[in-house]
């Protein structure tokens, strides 16, 4: 069942989303060659707790993961890591693609967003991948209009990513969001226009294309969390929490300082 949010609820989600965006912005500004992802994680957790909010990923334990709850505030996924990387003490290196995903729970409502950046000097392949993934997300957001169908959003994302010569991950998808981090409907990054549920005012969706340079196949690592590409090629991930309002799509997780 897709839960429609009232104006008051969307107001609360704006606050959760705003903090999510601010945290990502702060972490992106700090990320550089030699910095570790555990340092970034500490910055993010402090910012969230200082606002009286809760890091939504820390302690998260879905049924499909058998090795214990997620231990951190950020997911930090580097190069061939697609999503759910655990922050650690490895210093970031020149040319790394770093995908950072975070979630915030504030006043009972969630925000969820991700961004990929290139550390140090970018190479052409990384630049092209990151740009295409961001463009795919933007295309999905532009399709978040009441009266459209969910398949229009999925198809818009897929079309942009594949037109750039990349593949979209199918194993993991976006989702509805609200009083829970993951609500209905699932939002695949692939699909056919004109299919799926009709979008309505009050729906809030987390769109999150995961785009690979090589094939779309992914696999879980030994820690059960970190997901990598099966072929070892690099991957990027962008996400926004988006509300469908009377004036169209509203991005709730804008990355402002
Ligand atoms: Mg998400």
């Amino acid at each position: 069942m897709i839960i429609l949010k009232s104006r008051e609820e969307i107001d609360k989600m704006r606050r959760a989303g705003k903090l999510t965006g601010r945290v990502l912005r702060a972490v992106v500004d700090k990320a550089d060659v030699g910095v570790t992802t555990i340092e970034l994680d500490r910055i993010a957790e402090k910012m969230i707790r200082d606002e009286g909010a809760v890091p939504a990923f820390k302690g998260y334990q879905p049924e499909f993961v058998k090795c214990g709850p997620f231990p951190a505030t950020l997911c930090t996924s580097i190069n061939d890591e697609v999503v759910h990387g655990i922050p650690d003490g490895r210093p970031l290196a020149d040319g790394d693609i770093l995908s950072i995903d975070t979630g915030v729970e504030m006043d009972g409502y969630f925000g969820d967003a991700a961004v990929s950046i290139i550390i140090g000097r970018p190479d052409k392949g990384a630049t092209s991948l990151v740009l295409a993934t961001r463009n795919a997300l933007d295309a999905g957001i532009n399709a978040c209009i009441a009266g459209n169908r969910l398949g229009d959003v999925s198809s818009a994302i897929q079309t942009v990513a594949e037109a750039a010569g990349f593949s979209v991950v199918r194993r993991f998808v976006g989702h509805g969001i609200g009083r829970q981090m993951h609500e209905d409907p699932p939002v695949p990054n692939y699909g056919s226009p004109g299919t799926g549920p009709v979008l309505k005012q009050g729906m809030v969706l987390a769109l999150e294309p995961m785009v690979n340079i090589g094939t779309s196949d992914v696999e879980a690592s030994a820690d059960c969390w970190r997901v990598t590409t099966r072929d070892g090629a690099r991957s990027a991930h962008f996400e926004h929490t988006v509300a469908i309002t009377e004036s169209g799509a509203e991005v709730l997780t804008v990355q402002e300082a």
Side-chain angles (χ1 to χ4, degrees):
M1 189 188 60
I2 303 175
I3 303 164
L4 300 181
K5 276 78 182 178
S6 66
R7 278 166 196 271
E8 293 72 29
E9 288 181 295
I10 288 185
D11 253 347
K12 288 190 176 178
M13 294 196 72
R14 282 190 181 102
R15 296 185 56 223
K18 194 168 184 176
L19 178 58
T20 309
R22 274 182 48 216
V23 167
L24 277 184
R25 174 62 186 264
V27 165
V28 164
D29 286 350
K30 178 76 186 166
D32 204 350
V33 175
V35 174
T36 67
T37 48
I38 197 83
E39 289 173 63
L40 301 179
D41 195 73
R42 284 196 200 104
I43 292 169
E45 179 166 3
K46 182 172 189 315
M47 274 184 82
I48 293 168
R49 296 206 189 275
D50 283 352
E51 295 295 327
V54 178
F57 293 179
K58 199 165 187 173
Y60 184 65
Q61 171 81 80
E63 251 182 35
F64 68 89
V65 175
K66 305 298 180 197
C67 307
F70 192 78
T73 295
L74 304 177
C75 295
T76 51
S77 308
I78 300 170
N79 295 330
D80 66 319
E81 298 170 353
V82 180
V83 284
H84 307 161
I86 297 172
D88 62 19
R90 279 182 294 175
L92 292 166
D94 199 29
D96 277 346
I97 299 177
L98 171 64
S99 300
I100 309 162
D101 190 352
T102 197
V104 164
E105 182 186 359
M106 193 178 203
D107 292 336
Y109 288 85
F110 286 83
D112 190 359
V115 61
S116 290
I117 58 171
I118 303 164
I119 302 299
R121 281 164 302 181
D123 64 84
K124 224 171 167 183
T127 304
S128 159
L129 173 70
V130 167
L131 195 62
T133 311
R134 201 180 67 195
N135 289 342
L137 173 59
D138 286 343
I141 292 168
N142 290 334
C144 285
I145 298 165
N148 270 3
R149 286 178 180 270
L150 192 63
D152 299 325
V153 176
S154 299
S155 163
I157 292 170
Q158 180 181 15
T159 300
V160 169
E162 291 182 351
F166 302 121
S167 63
V168 295
V169 171
R170 289 160 185 256
R171 170 70 184 81
F172 295 91
V173 298
H175 48 91
I177 181 168
R179 293 184 75 91
Q180 301 203 46
M181 189 158 61
H182 297 119
E183 294 184 354
D184 278 338
V187 183
N189 297 302
Y190 57 92
S192 305
T195 63
V198 175
L199 302 182
K200 294 184 179 143
Q201 205 177 302
M203 284 185 187
V204 185
L205 304 173
L207 310 186
E208 50 176 323
M210 290 146 264
V211 177
N212 295 350
I213 287 184
T215 68
S216 63
D217 292 344
V218 298
E219 60 191 3
S221 62
D223 67 22
C224 289
W225 279 109
R226 194 164 43 94
V227 173
T228 59
T229 59
R230 197 175 287 274
D231 62 9
R234 293 180 292 177
S235 185
H237 178 211
F238 279 82
E239 178 177 22
H240 270 309
T241 298
V242 181
I244 298 171
T245 69
E246 54 209 358
S247 46
E250 181 182 332
V251 175
L252 303 184
T253 44
V254 174
Q255 283 142 36
E256 289 166 334

